[in-house]
């Protein structure tokens, strides 16, 4: 195939710029290297700003019921963890996980000068920036940049989605956005794709085409590796029939099949509950809890739970007082969940939120989320957190 024909068939040119065609776009991010250490991190993003006070309920504090007359969870309905806090009843699938010692709850996680915009606060969490700092790379992406200079393969970080989150994008390396390894493998084995790779190697040194060919070659190699490695594993564990559980099932398959990936990223959206919060949040929390329950049991059955750490976050919590629409508005600090077989401090990590000492009606954060990231970087991913977070954060004792 001639260079002119390749350009005609595979991309558009406009004003001197190259527009990568849709069938190749999911593969652009495949150009990163591989780490060989065995510990896995799974990041779960709850998009929309989950209401932490109706997730881990401070039922022992009367102020909670005074501020939330219509949406508070009654003491007789919740799942009590101690004399002060309990879980939303829709998280019942997490109770046995909690009792097994596979769960840790960190209260009042946030950052200084919090932003209540979904987009800005999510960027802050994904880039691990200060509130007044704007970064174009994510904290996981910078981890990939710092640790993969001499690595060979492009599947160190995988997001089970159609697009790649900012958290997974570094300056020189990125994670992969991938939902179906079989579909990726089929696409890279299409005759047109193969013909372009086999017939146009002479263009590898050209700037734009060279980048594209390099990406295609790495895509093909990665697709073969992911498909051939993961298809060997026969997953017999039953998962709920939800999209979120399906993401976790894919991650469990990758982990249990021995895929040499360090970080996985999944998400569940819909937590922006301004109106009629209880049924909407309850439905989502049920999906979350049942998916996590199946995922952890699957890993345990395959002797992978001790090598896996799961982190759950949302971009902010909600205000302490409910609004007039039986919902809650954007707040600040929130709870974070951690799961794994090797947690050092299990159960509730720190005291319940102080509902008397508020800032403009919002919770005051007690733990900077970057302390959580820093702990994972230092103790789980074996890298100095200051190198990734651009400043040193004190670590915690959950691992």
């Amino acid at each position: 195939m001639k260079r002119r024909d390749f350009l005609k068939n595979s991309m558009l040119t406009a004003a001197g710029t190259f527009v990568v065609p849709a069938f190749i776009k999911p593969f652009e991010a495949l150009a990163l290297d591989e780490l060989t250490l065995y510990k896995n991190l799974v990041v779960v993003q709850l998009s929309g700003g989950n209401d932490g006070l109706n997730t881990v309920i401070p039922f022992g504090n009367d102020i909670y019921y005074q501020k939330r007359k219509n949406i508070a969870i009654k003491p007789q309905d919740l799942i009590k963890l101690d004399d002060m806090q309990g879980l939303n009843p829709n998280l019942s699938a997490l109770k046995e996980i909690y009792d097994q010692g596979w769960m840790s709850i960190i209260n009042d996680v946030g950052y200084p000068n919090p932003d209540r915009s979904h987009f800005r606060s999510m960027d802050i969490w994904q880039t691990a920036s200060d509130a007044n700092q704007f970064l174009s790379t994510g904290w996981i992406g910078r981890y990939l940049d710092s640790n993969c200079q001499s690595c060979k393969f492009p599947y160190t970080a995988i997001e089970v989605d159609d697009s790649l989150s900012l958290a997974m994008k570094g300056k020189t390396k990125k994670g992969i956005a991938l939902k179906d390894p079989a579909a990726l493998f089929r696409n890279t084995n299409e005759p047109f794709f193969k013909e372009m790779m086999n017939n146009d190697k002479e263009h590898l040194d050209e700037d734009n085409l060279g980048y594209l060919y390099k990406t295609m070659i790495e895509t093909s190699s990665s697709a073969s590796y992911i498909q051939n490695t993961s298809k060997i594993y026969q997953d017999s564990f039953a998962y709920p029939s939800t999209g979120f559980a399906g993401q976790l099932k894919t991650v469990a398959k990758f982990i249990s099949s021995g895929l040499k990936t360090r970080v996985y990223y999944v998400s569940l959206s819909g937590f922006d509950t301004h109106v009629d919060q209880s049924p909407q949040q309850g439905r989502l929390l049920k999906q979350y809890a049942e998916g996590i329950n199946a995922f952890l049991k699957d890993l345990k059955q395959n002797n992978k739970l001790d090598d896996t750490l799961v982190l759950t976050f949302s971009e902010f919590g909600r205000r302490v007082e409910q609004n007039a629409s039986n919902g809650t508005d954007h707040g600040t600090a929130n709870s974070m969940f951690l799961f794994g077989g090797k947690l050092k401090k299990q159960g509730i990590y720190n005291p319940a939120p102080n509902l008397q000492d508020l800032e403009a009606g919002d919770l005051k954060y007690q733990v900077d989320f970057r302390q959580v990231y820093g702990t994972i970087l230092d103790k789980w991913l074996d890298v100095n957190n200051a190198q990734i977070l651009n400043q040193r954060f004190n670590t915690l004792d959950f691992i």
Side-chain angles (χ1 to χ4, degrees):
M1 179 182 290
K2 296 181 179 179
R3 180 173 182 267
R4 181 180 57 199
D5 296 329
F6 169 71
L7 288 172
K8 180 179 178 181
N9 285 319
S10 66
M11 61 178 58
L12 301 175
T13 58
T17 61
F18 287 100
V19 180
V20 181
F23 82 95
I24 288 177
K25 277 187 177 293
F27 311 144
E28 281 188 274
L30 282 165
L32 67 130
D33 299 326
E34 178 196 47
L35 292 175
T36 57
L37 301 178
Y38 69 93
K39 288 183 178 178
N40 303 290
L41 171 65
V42 181
V43 179
V44 179
Q45 175 181 299
L46 304 182
S47 303
N50 179 44
D51 179 21
L53 290 177
N54 268 25
T55 300
V56 183
I57 298 101
F59 71 91
N61 192 326
D62 292 339
I63 297 175
Y64 167 74
Y65 291 97
Q66 295 167 12
K67 296 290 187 181
R68 299 185 166 209
K69 296 184 183 299
N70 297 329
I71 67 169
I73 309 295
K74 298 176 181 178
Q76 62 268 28
D77 294 333
L78 54 79
I79 304 163
K80 292 185 179 180
L81 302 178
D82 60 16
D83 293 337
M84 178 58 70
Q85 292 184 283
L87 293 176
N88 187 298
N90 291 287
L91 295 176
S92 59
L94 294 184
K95 182 56 167 63
E96 63 175 311
I97 302 301
Y98 184 92
D99 291 342
Q100 288 278 1
W102 300 345
M103 180 178 181
S104 182
I105 300 169
I106 306 179
N107 292 305
D108 284 338
V109 184
Y111 56 91
N113 304 310
D115 196 300
R116 291 171 179 80
S117 161
H118 288 292
F119 304 105
R120 178 61 190 141
S121 193
M122 185 62 81
D123 278 358
I124 291 169
W125 277 82
Q126 291 197 4
T127 64
S129 71
D130 293 331
N132 62 353
Q133 182 184 26
F134 295 83
L135 300 178
S136 60
T137 57
W139 71 283
I140 297 170
R142 294 196 299 275
Y143 163 71
L144 298 177
D145 283 342
S146 68
N147 283 272
C148 291
Q149 298 305 318
S150 60
C151 304
K152 297 179 180 179
F153 304 108
Y155 30 78
T156 303
I158 295 177
E159 181 165 2
V160 185
D161 203 340
D162 290 325
S163 60
L164 196 66
S165 297
L166 177 57
M168 303 279 275
K169 297 178 181 179
K171 184 177 181 179
T172 62
K173 297 182 176 66
K174 299 178 182 180
I176 304 169
L178 166 67
K179 271 191 173 180
D180 183 351
L184 176 61
F185 181 75
R186 287 195 300 271
N187 286 337
T188 57
N189 280 274
E190 288 287 338
F192 178 59
F193 192 99
K194 287 291 188 183
E195 184 181 0
M196 285 191 295
M197 284 200 305
N198 293 332
N199 294 343
D200 294 278
K201 294 177 181 178
E202 66 270 18
H203 299 307
L204 279 172
D205 292 331
E206 299 183 34
D207 290 341
N208 290 306
L209 288 178
Y211 166 77
L212 181 58
Y213 290 133
K214 182 174 183 292
T215 300
M216 292 170 62
I217 291 169
E218 291 173 339
T219 297
S220 180
S221 174
S222 297
S224 297
Y225 169 75
I226 294 171
Q227 171 67 2
N228 291 332
T229 302
S230 62
K231 75 177 183 181
I232 298 172
Y233 173 70
Q234 299 298 318
D235 187 6
S236 60
F237 202 91
Y239 279 75
S241 299
T242 64
F244 177 68
Q247 293 178 56
L248 292 175
K249 185 175 182 179
T250 297
V251 173
K253 181 178 182 179
F254 287 165
I255 292 174
S256 297
S257 64
L259 202 65
K260 293 178 180 178
T261 299
R262 293 302 308 276
V263 182
Y264 297 93
Y265 204 99
V266 300
S267 60
L268 178 63
S269 62
F271 286 93
D272 194 19
T273 51
H274 291 281
V275 179
D276 198 19
Q277 172 176 297
S278 296
Q280 180 178 341
Q281 188 197 28
R283 182 171 59 253
L284 292 170
L285 290 180
K286 183 177 176 64
Q287 290 182 37
Y288 167 76
E290 292 179 349
I292 291 289
N293 178 289
F295 178 64
L296 297 177
K297 288 180 177 178
D298 191 356
L299 294 180
K300 179 64 175 178
Q301 180 174 285
N302 287 286
N303 298 315
K304 295 294 185 179
L305 184 59
D306 287 354
D307 299 333
T308 303
L309 180 67
V310 183
L311 164 70
T312 298
F313 81 96
S314 195
E315 68 263 36
F316 45 61
R318 316 295 288 193
R319 293 181 65 80
V320 173
E321 188 167 3
Q322 72 169 78
N323 62 28
S325 302
N326 288 329
T328 53
D329 297 323
H330 301 177
T332 54
N334 208 346
S335 55
M336 293 182 76
F337 290 170
L338 292 139
F339 302 95
K342 288 292 186 179
L343 296 175
K344 184 176 178 181
K345 187 166 183 180
Q346 304 153 356
I348 298 175
Y349 183 85
N350 58 338
N354 186 338
L355 302 185
Q356 290 181 307
D357 184 18
L358 303 178
E359 185 170 341
D362 285 317
L363 298 175
K364 294 182 179 179
Y365 85 97
Q366 303 300 321
V367 177
D368 193 308
F369 75 94
R370 291 165 294 186
Q371 290 180 267
V372 180
Y373 290 179
T375 302
I376 294 170
L377 289 166
D378 275 7
K379 299 182 179 181
W380 196 256
L381 297 178
D382 302 313
V383 59
N384 186 334
N385 77 63
Q387 184 183 0
I388 311 304
L389 303 178
N390 300 319
Q391 57 181 302
R392 180 71 190 174
F393 286 90
N394 293 329
T395 58
L396 306 176
D397 292 325
F398 57 83
I399 51 176

